[in-house]
Amino acid sequence: MTSAEFLKGNKSFEVESMQTLRISEDSIGNDYARIFKDVLDDALQSVHVFDAYVAIHHQVLNFIHFCELLVQKAPKLRSITLTTSEDSR
């Protein structure tokens, strides 16, 4: 199942607001804290990440850094869920 098929079949997510942030190639200063600053607060209780490409070492490390930020900035956070695809290799 591709990630798009999964998302089409998943009826349990909610979006209160949506913002598009365009990041230019080779730009600097785009860390997780800056990108997610508007949603990291006392109200955040759960995070669901759908990413088909968390498979190799540096991608796993990036996800861990993201989780560390969530834990630091969202004191009421109770769960972080990662849904990814199976590695074809």
XYZ file of all heavy atoms in Angstrom:
714
model
N 0.852 -1.180 0.000
C 0.000 0.000 0.000
C 0.893 1.236 0.000
O 1.771 1.370 0.829
C -0.902 -0.039 1.239
C -1.779 1.174 1.385
S -2.792 1.204 2.884
C -3.889 -0.137 2.607
N 0.672 2.127 -0.922
C 1.460 3.360 -0.943
C 0.971 4.294 0.154
O -0.125 4.137 0.687
C 1.335 4.071 -2.304
O 0.005 4.555 -2.445
C 1.707 3.161 -3.450
N 1.785 5.270 0.477
C 1.389 6.209 1.531
C 0.135 6.985 1.129
O -0.709 7.292 1.970
C 2.534 7.152 1.863
O 2.925 7.882 0.732
N -0.010 7.306 -0.155
C -1.207 8.020 -0.608
C -2.453 7.149 -0.428
O -3.494 7.632 0.017
C -1.068 8.428 -2.066
N -2.333 5.864 -0.743
C -3.469 4.957 -0.548
C -3.819 4.847 0.921
O -4.979 4.829 1.304
C -3.151 3.576 -1.117
C -3.085 3.533 -2.623
C -2.514 2.219 -3.127
O -1.806 1.533 -2.369
O -2.783 1.893 -4.287
N -2.776 4.787 1.767
C -3.007 4.707 3.202
C -3.756 5.938 3.702
O -4.721 5.841 4.447
C -1.685 4.556 3.962
C -1.862 4.537 5.447
C -2.242 3.384 6.097
C -1.671 5.691 6.197
C -2.422 3.366 7.467
C -1.857 5.690 7.563
C -2.229 4.514 8.201
N -3.305 7.111 3.293
C -3.938 8.346 3.746
C -5.371 8.459 3.251
O -6.245 8.942 3.966
C -3.125 9.557 3.298
C -1.784 9.743 3.998
C -1.007 10.870 3.350
C -1.965 9.990 5.470
N -5.637 8.002 2.016
C -6.998 8.052 1.490
C -7.918 7.161 2.310
O -9.078 7.492 2.542
C -7.015 7.614 0.025
C -6.503 8.673 -0.922
C -6.338 8.170 -2.324
C -7.636 7.876 -2.989
N -7.473 7.492 -4.404
N -7.406 6.027 2.790
C -8.214 5.105 3.575
C -8.289 5.463 5.038
O -9.116 4.950 5.775
N -7.437 6.351 5.504
C -7.397 6.723 6.916
C -8.375 7.867 7.169
O -8.158 8.982 6.748
C -5.978 7.138 7.304
C -5.835 7.428 8.776
O -6.807 7.423 9.517
N -4.629 7.682 9.200
N -9.437 7.584 7.896
C -10.468 8.589 8.154
C -10.355 9.192 9.553
O -11.222 9.914 9.983
C -11.864 7.959 7.999
C -12.093 7.306 6.656
C -12.097 8.309 5.551
C -12.406 7.606 4.248
N -12.065 8.318 3.093
N -9.264 8.875 10.271
C -9.199 9.280 11.667
C -8.358 10.522 11.937
O -8.151 10.873 13.071
C -8.652 8.121 12.506
O -7.320 7.858 12.139
N -7.861 11.191 10.917
C -7.045 12.365 11.195
C -7.871 13.641 11.081
O -8.865 13.703 10.384
C -5.796 12.416 10.303
C -6.083 12.515 8.834
C -6.219 13.745 8.226
C -6.210 11.376 8.064
C -6.478 13.843 6.878
C -6.469 11.461 6.713
C -6.603 12.695 6.115
N -7.438 14.647 11.819
C -8.101 15.947 11.816
C -7.071 17.020 11.525
O -5.941 16.940 11.979
C -8.728 16.229 13.175
C -9.829 15.267 13.556
C -10.369 15.578 14.939
O -10.257 16.736 15.376
O -10.882 14.657 15.570
N -7.485 18.013 10.794
C -6.615 19.146 10.522
C -7.365 20.401 10.944
O -8.406 20.717 10.395
C -6.242 19.221 9.018
C -5.417 20.461 8.746
C -5.513 17.963 8.592
N -6.836 21.072 11.961
C -7.474 22.300 12.422
C -7.053 23.484 11.563
O -7.834 24.363 11.288
C -7.121 22.543 13.881
C -7.757 21.536 14.809
C -7.414 21.811 16.250
O -7.009 22.945 16.573
O -7.556 20.888 17.056
N -5.809 23.496 11.195
C -5.319 24.548 10.311
C -4.172 23.971 9.510
O -3.530 23.016 9.911
C -4.850 25.769 11.105
O -3.731 25.438 11.878
N -3.943 24.578 8.383
C -2.877 24.075 7.526
C -2.079 25.244 6.993
O -2.642 26.259 6.607
C -3.467 23.259 6.381
C -2.468 22.561 5.547
S -3.351 21.468 4.446
C -2.072 20.381 3.987
N -0.781 25.079 6.990
C 0.112 26.122 6.520
C 1.146 25.460 5.621
O 1.644 24.381 5.922
C 0.797 26.778 7.716
C 1.825 27.791 7.359
C 2.515 28.347 8.599
O 2.181 28.023 9.723
N 3.506 29.168 8.384
N 1.461 26.097 4.535
C 2.493 25.593 3.637
C 3.745 26.433 3.823
O 3.693 27.666 3.793
C 2.035 25.676 2.169
O 0.848 24.902 2.019
C 3.108 25.151 1.239
N 4.844 25.751 4.038
C 6.124 26.430 4.208
C 7.036 25.946 3.099
O 7.346 24.762 3.007
C 6.718 26.086 5.576
C 8.073 26.672 5.925
C 8.009 28.194 5.968
C 8.550 26.136 7.253
N 7.437 26.831 2.237
C 8.326 26.463 1.133
C 9.769 26.667 1.570
O 10.153 27.756 1.998
C 8.024 27.303 -0.096
C 6.614 27.098 -0.591
C 6.485 27.416 -2.055
N 5.101 27.342 -2.469
C 4.491 26.222 -2.841
N 5.142 25.095 -2.827
N 3.231 26.228 -3.219
N 10.558 25.608 1.445
C 11.957 25.651 1.837
C 12.791 25.473 0.575
O 12.709 24.440 -0.084
C 12.279 24.558 2.867
C 11.422 24.761 4.116
C 13.760 24.569 3.205
C 11.527 23.661 5.135
N 13.579 26.464 0.260
C 14.413 26.417 -0.936
C 15.542 25.413 -0.767
O 16.072 25.226 0.338
C 15.025 27.788 -1.216
O 14.023 28.748 -1.371
N 15.908 24.796 -1.882
C 17.018 23.855 -1.866
C 18.288 24.577 -1.434
O 18.517 25.732 -1.799
C 17.201 23.267 -3.267
C 18.197 22.145 -3.328
C 18.236 21.489 -4.687
O 17.285 21.620 -5.463
O 19.251 20.839 -4.963
N 19.089 23.920 -0.628
C 20.355 24.447 -0.115
C 20.180 25.640 0.826
O 21.133 26.374 1.088
C 21.311 24.838 -1.258
C 21.731 23.648 -2.095
O 21.862 22.550 -1.532
O 21.919 23.823 -3.304
N 18.971 25.858 1.343
C 18.789 26.945 2.309
C 19.256 26.467 3.684
O 19.398 25.273 3.926
C 17.327 27.384 2.352
O 16.505 26.342 2.813
N 19.479 27.403 4.590
C 19.945 27.071 5.932
C 18.985 27.660 6.959
O 18.171 28.521 6.651
C 21.384 27.569 6.170
C 21.468 29.088 5.980
C 22.365 26.860 5.255
C 22.800 29.679 6.383
N 19.078 27.179 8.205
C 18.269 27.701 9.291
C 16.870 27.119 9.362
O 16.008 27.665 10.039
N 16.628 26.007 8.689
C 15.296 25.407 8.671
C 15.247 24.192 9.590
O 15.085 23.070 9.155
C 14.932 24.981 7.244
C 14.908 26.155 6.311
O 14.159 27.091 6.506
N 15.751 26.134 5.298
N 15.377 24.408 10.876
C 15.342 23.284 11.800
C 13.907 22.985 12.222
O 12.970 23.737 11.933
C 16.239 23.545 13.008
C 15.804 24.745 13.823
O 14.795 25.387 13.479
O 16.479 25.055 14.817
N 13.726 21.850 12.889
C 12.381 21.433 13.299
C 11.716 22.464 14.210
O 10.514 22.690 14.126
C 12.434 20.077 14.003
C 12.750 18.922 13.091
C 13.779 18.040 13.396
C 12.030 18.697 11.930
C 14.074 16.969 12.573
C 12.305 17.631 11.100
C 13.326 16.771 11.430
O 13.613 15.712 10.607
N 12.479 23.078 15.091
C 11.908 24.064 16.011
C 11.284 25.228 15.256
O 10.198 25.698 15.603
C 12.971 24.560 16.978
N 11.937 25.699 14.223
C 11.411 26.814 13.436
C 10.206 26.383 12.609
O 9.211 27.087 12.512
C 12.496 27.382 12.519
C 12.030 28.560 11.655
C 13.165 29.036 10.779
N 12.963 29.474 9.454
C 12.047 29.167 8.549
N 11.111 28.344 8.828
N 12.036 29.671 7.343
N 10.290 25.216 12.012
C 9.223 24.750 11.132
C 7.936 24.475 11.910
O 6.837 24.813 11.463
C 9.680 23.492 10.366
C 10.817 23.859 9.399
C 8.519 22.855 9.618
C 11.537 22.663 8.802
N 8.046 23.894 13.101
C 6.862 23.467 13.855
C 6.536 24.364 15.044
O 5.706 24.005 15.885
C 7.039 22.017 14.325
C 7.090 21.046 13.190
C 8.289 20.522 12.763
C 5.929 20.666 12.533
C 8.343 19.626 11.705
C 5.963 19.776 11.479
C 7.174 19.256 11.065
N 7.144 25.539 15.124
C 6.970 26.408 16.296
C 5.511 26.762 16.582
O 5.136 26.933 17.737
C 7.797 27.676 16.146
C 7.297 28.589 15.047
C 8.127 29.838 14.917
C 7.506 30.632 13.802
N 8.311 31.492 13.104
N 4.677 26.854 15.565
C 3.286 27.273 15.768
C 2.403 26.191 16.381
O 1.312 26.483 16.852
C 2.671 27.722 14.440
C 3.330 28.986 13.903
O 3.942 29.721 14.694
O 3.232 29.226 12.691
N 2.850 24.945 16.372
C 2.000 23.864 16.901
C 2.588 23.176 18.131
O 1.931 22.322 18.719
C 1.701 22.801 15.817
C 0.889 23.407 14.689
C 2.974 22.175 15.291
N 3.782 23.549 18.530
C 4.402 22.940 19.712
C 4.026 23.754 20.941
O 4.631 24.771 21.242
C 5.919 22.881 19.548
C 6.425 22.024 18.400
C 7.935 22.125 18.291
C 5.993 20.582 18.570
N 3.005 23.278 21.652
C 2.531 24.008 22.817
C 1.889 23.054 23.814
O 1.931 21.836 23.656
C 1.543 25.106 22.401
C 0.335 24.567 21.648
O 0.040 23.359 21.747
O -0.321 25.359 20.959
N 1.265 23.609 24.847
C 0.636 22.812 25.901
C -0.565 22.004 25.420
O -0.969 21.056 26.084
C 0.187 23.724 27.052
C 1.365 24.302 27.810
O 2.480 23.769 27.660
O 1.175 25.273 28.549
N -1.149 22.372 24.306
C -2.340 21.666 23.816
C -2.000 20.375 23.065
O -2.846 19.494 22.932
C -3.153 22.580 22.907
N -0.779 20.240 22.595
C -0.391 19.077 21.788
C -0.317 17.827 22.652
O 0.440 17.764 23.614
C 0.959 19.337 21.118
C 1.458 18.278 20.145
C 0.509 18.161 18.954
C 2.856 18.601 19.689
N -1.123 16.814 22.302
C -1.146 15.580 23.076
C -0.687 14.357 22.297
O -0.219 13.388 22.883
C -2.553 15.322 23.615
C -2.986 16.366 24.603
C -4.356 16.077 25.167
O -4.930 15.024 24.953
N -4.880 17.027 25.910
N -0.834 14.380 20.973
C -0.373 13.238 20.178
C 0.086 13.709 18.808
O -0.410 14.705 18.289
C -1.470 12.187 20.038
O -2.554 12.684 19.294
N 1.033 12.966 18.257
C 1.579 13.267 16.940
C 1.596 11.976 16.147
O 2.055 10.940 16.632
C 3.011 13.839 17.033
C 3.617 14.019 15.659
C 3.000 15.159 17.798
N 1.068 12.049 14.920
C 1.074 10.905 14.012
C 1.855 11.326 12.771
O 1.476 12.275 12.098
C -0.350 10.512 13.627
C -1.213 10.233 14.815
N -1.175 9.036 15.473
C -2.106 10.995 15.467
C -2.028 9.077 16.485
N -2.603 10.269 16.500
N 2.932 10.614 12.493
C 3.788 10.927 11.352
C 3.605 9.834 10.305
O 3.763 8.650 10.609
C 5.275 11.007 11.766
C 6.155 11.284 10.554
C 5.471 12.065 12.839
N 3.258 10.234 9.091
C 3.147 9.319 7.966
C 4.285 9.666 7.010
O 4.251 10.694 6.352
C 1.793 9.482 7.262
C 0.627 9.204 8.164
C -0.029 10.243 8.799
C 0.202 7.912 8.381
C -1.101 10.001 9.633
C -0.867 7.659 9.218
C -1.518 8.700 9.841
N 5.301 8.824 6.977
C 6.470 9.081 6.142
C 6.958 7.768 5.560
O 7.425 6.891 6.279
C 7.574 9.736 6.966
C 8.740 10.208 6.127
O 8.939 9.681 5.011
O 9.467 11.102 6.582
N 6.853 7.637 4.261
C 7.244 6.393 3.595
C 8.744 6.208 3.527
O 9.215 5.137 3.155
C 6.653 6.371 2.185
N 9.515 7.213 3.887
C 10.953 7.161 3.651
C 11.798 7.185 4.912
O 12.900 7.694 4.894
C 11.359 8.295 2.716
C 10.604 8.231 1.415
C 9.568 9.117 1.154
C 10.888 7.245 0.485
C 8.856 9.040 -0.037
C 10.178 7.152 -0.704
C 9.163 8.060 -0.943
O 8.457 7.971 -2.107
N 11.338 6.647 6.008
C 12.168 6.511 7.199
C 12.703 5.083 7.194
O 12.059 4.160 7.672
C 11.383 6.804 8.493
C 12.259 6.589 9.709
C 10.849 8.225 8.473
N 13.862 4.909 6.564
C 14.395 3.560 6.391
C 15.891 3.472 6.674
O 16.345 2.484 7.225
C 14.113 3.064 4.979
N 16.629 4.494 6.314
C 18.076 4.409 6.498
C 18.511 5.260 7.692
O 17.742 6.074 8.211
C 18.838 4.771 5.204
C 18.464 6.155 4.710
C 18.593 3.749 4.128
C 19.196 6.586 3.455
N 19.746 5.042 8.107
C 20.239 5.570 9.376
C 19.982 7.066 9.566
O 19.446 7.472 10.607
C 21.734 5.262 9.502
C 22.316 5.670 10.801
N 22.027 5.001 11.970
C 23.141 6.688 11.133
C 22.665 5.591 12.973
N 23.352 6.618 12.492
N 20.347 7.911 8.616
C 20.182 9.357 8.825
C 18.708 9.756 8.898
O 18.349 10.707 9.584
C 20.933 10.170 7.765
C 20.261 10.243 6.437
N 20.405 9.270 5.474
C 19.422 11.173 5.917
C 19.694 9.608 4.413
N 19.087 10.752 4.655
N 17.822 9.023 8.227
C 16.386 9.317 8.312
C 15.847 8.966 9.697
O 15.035 9.705 10.259
C 15.632 8.546 7.229
C 15.999 9.003 5.835
C 15.563 8.031 4.768
O 15.444 6.835 5.002
N 15.321 8.556 3.568
N 16.318 7.851 10.244
C 15.923 7.466 11.606
C 16.432 8.500 12.601
O 15.700 8.914 13.514
C 16.438 6.054 11.942
C 16.181 5.716 13.401
C 15.800 5.012 11.027
N 17.675 8.953 12.433
C 18.217 9.984 13.327
C 17.416 11.281 13.240
O 17.152 11.926 14.270
C 19.687 10.257 13.007
C 20.667 9.142 13.353
C 22.078 9.533 12.925
C 20.615 8.805 14.825
N 17.004 11.671 12.038
C 16.171 12.871 11.887
C 14.855 12.710 12.634
O 14.382 13.642 13.293
C 15.901 13.156 10.412
C 17.102 13.723 9.702
O 18.009 14.261 10.330
N 17.118 13.603 8.381
N 14.244 11.529 12.544
C 12.986 11.290 13.262
C 13.206 11.351 14.775
O 12.386 11.914 15.501
C 12.372 9.946 12.847
C 11.071 9.673 13.522
C 9.946 10.416 13.208
C 10.959 8.687 14.479
C 8.732 10.189 13.838
C 9.755 8.447 15.118
C 8.638 9.200 14.799
N 14.310 10.805 15.241
C 14.622 10.866 16.673
C 14.792 12.316 17.124
O 14.267 12.710 18.176
C 15.881 10.038 16.994
C 15.566 8.553 16.839
C 16.400 10.337 18.401
C 16.785 7.656 16.882
N 15.491 13.127 16.344
C 15.655 14.553 16.689
C 14.292 15.251 16.744
O 14.044 16.080 17.621
C 16.562 15.262 15.691
C 17.987 14.826 15.763
N 18.731 14.836 16.917
C 18.810 14.348 14.809
C 19.941 14.392 16.682
N 20.012 14.078 15.407
N 13.419 14.913 15.813
C 12.069 15.481 15.809
C 11.324 15.077 17.083
O 10.688 15.917 17.734
C 11.316 15.016 14.559
C 9.901 15.495 14.480
C 9.610 16.834 14.387
C 8.856 14.585 14.488
C 8.292 17.281 14.307
C 7.545 15.016 14.409
C 7.263 16.364 14.324
N 11.414 13.811 17.453
C 10.751 13.335 18.675
C 11.300 14.021 19.920
O 10.538 14.371 20.830
C 10.906 11.821 18.801
S 9.999 10.878 17.562
N 12.614 14.228 19.970
C 13.212 14.923 21.109
C 12.668 16.338 21.239
O 12.372 16.801 22.347
C 14.736 14.952 20.969
C 15.375 13.598 21.165
C 16.853 13.569 20.832
O 17.338 14.500 20.128
O 17.524 12.625 21.259
N 12.503 17.021 20.127
C 11.924 18.366 20.152
C 10.487 18.325 20.669
O 10.093 19.151 21.497
C 11.962 18.997 18.756
C 11.281 20.358 18.647
C 12.096 21.420 19.366
C 11.057 20.725 17.207
N 9.711 17.367 20.194
C 8.329 17.237 20.650
C 8.264 17.057 22.165
O 7.462 17.704 22.843
C 7.642 16.051 19.967
C 7.404 16.164 18.470
C 6.886 14.836 17.925
C 6.440 17.287 18.152
N 9.097 16.187 22.683
C 9.102 15.913 24.124
C 9.486 17.157 24.912
O 8.909 17.440 25.966
C 10.039 14.720 24.433
C 10.274 14.573 25.921
C 9.470 13.437 23.842
N 10.441 17.937 24.407
C 10.882 19.146 25.105
C 9.835 20.256 25.086
O 9.666 20.979 26.065
C 12.158 19.683 24.470
C 13.367 18.826 24.678
C 14.558 19.325 23.871
O 14.472 20.315 23.146
N 15.670 18.619 23.982
N 9.140 20.422 23.963
C 8.278 21.587 23.771
C 6.792 21.348 24.036
O 6.026 22.299 24.096
C 8.425 22.118 22.338
C 9.824 22.552 21.982
C 10.224 23.793 22.737
C 11.583 24.288 22.285
N 11.998 25.487 22.972
N 6.375 20.093 24.150
C 4.954 19.792 24.350
C 4.789 18.977 25.637
O 4.813 17.744 25.614
C 4.402 19.026 23.146
N 4.611 19.643 26.761
C 4.589 18.946 28.054
C 3.429 17.956 28.227
O 3.539 17.029 29.028
C 4.509 20.076 29.078
C 4.024 21.261 28.327
C 4.459 21.085 26.909
N 2.349 18.110 27.487
C 1.208 17.195 27.627
C 1.216 16.092 26.571
O 0.262 15.323 26.479
C -0.098 17.976 27.562
C -0.278 18.907 28.747
C -1.606 19.597 28.711
C -1.719 20.542 29.903
N -2.938 21.314 29.853
N 2.286 15.987 25.818
C 2.399 14.965 24.777
C 2.359 13.576 25.408
O 3.074 13.301 26.364
C 3.707 15.155 24.004
C 3.945 14.202 22.851
C 2.957 14.479 21.719
C 5.364 14.321 22.351
N 1.509 12.708 24.869
C 1.360 11.357 25.392
C 1.762 10.281 24.389
O 2.087 9.172 24.783
C -0.086 11.107 25.846
C -0.517 11.990 26.980
C 0.263 11.650 28.255
N 0.010 12.617 29.293
C 0.903 13.476 29.754
N 2.111 13.503 29.281
N 0.604 14.324 30.704
N 1.729 10.590 23.087
C 2.094 9.556 22.117
C 2.646 10.166 20.834
O 2.245 11.242 20.417
C 0.892 8.674 21.787
O -0.073 9.399 21.068
N 3.588 9.416 20.254
C 4.148 9.729 18.940
C 4.063 8.437 18.144
O 4.558 7.402 18.586
C 5.615 10.186 19.022
C 5.758 11.411 19.913
C 6.156 10.460 17.622
C 7.202 11.775 20.244
N 3.436 8.487 16.980
C 3.268 7.302 16.147
C 3.903 7.557 14.788
O 3.662 8.592 14.178
C 1.775 6.988 15.951
O 1.146 6.875 17.229
C 1.581 5.709 15.168
N 4.695 6.617 14.326
C 5.302 6.686 13.011
C 4.739 5.555 12.156
O 4.812 4.398 12.544
C 6.824 6.555 13.084
C 7.561 6.387 11.747
C 7.384 7.633 10.866
C 9.028 6.087 11.978
N 4.195 5.906 11.004
C 3.751 4.919 10.023
C 4.617 5.105 8.803
O 4.706 6.190 8.240
C 2.266 5.125 9.667
O 1.492 5.025 10.860
C 1.809 4.078 8.661
N 5.282 4.032 8.409
C 6.192 4.086 7.276
C 5.952 2.868 6.398
O 5.142 2.005 6.721
C 7.657 4.178 7.762
O 8.502 4.416 6.654
C 8.079 2.933 8.495
N 6.636 2.801 5.283
C 6.445 1.672 4.376
C 7.552 0.641 4.575
O 8.583 0.917 5.171
C 6.428 2.151 2.921
O 7.685 2.702 2.601
N 7.336 -0.521 4.026
C 8.333 -1.577 4.085
C 9.430 -1.269 3.070
O 9.155 -0.850 1.952
C 7.689 -2.908 3.750
C 8.618 -4.087 3.883
C 7.909 -5.402 3.636
O 6.688 -5.473 3.812
O 8.597 -6.347 3.236
N 10.661 -1.479 3.475
C 11.805 -1.259 2.577
C 11.791 -2.322 1.484
O 11.756 -3.515 1.780
C 13.100 -1.322 3.382
C 14.311 -0.911 2.580
O 14.175 -0.638 1.365
O 15.400 -0.849 3.167
N 11.814 -1.892 0.246
C 11.753 -2.837 -0.872
C 13.022 -3.658 -1.023
O 13.023 -4.666 -1.713
C 11.449 -2.103 -2.172
O 12.495 -1.180 -2.446
N 14.105 -3.196 -0.371
C 15.349 -3.959 -0.444
C 15.295 -5.083 0.548
O 16.022 -5.966 0.650
C 16.558 -3.075 -0.180
C 16.749 -2.041 -1.282
C 17.838 -1.071 -0.915
N 17.209 -0.052 -0.076
C 17.871 0.803 0.674
N 19.160 0.763 0.730
N 17.249 1.711 1.390
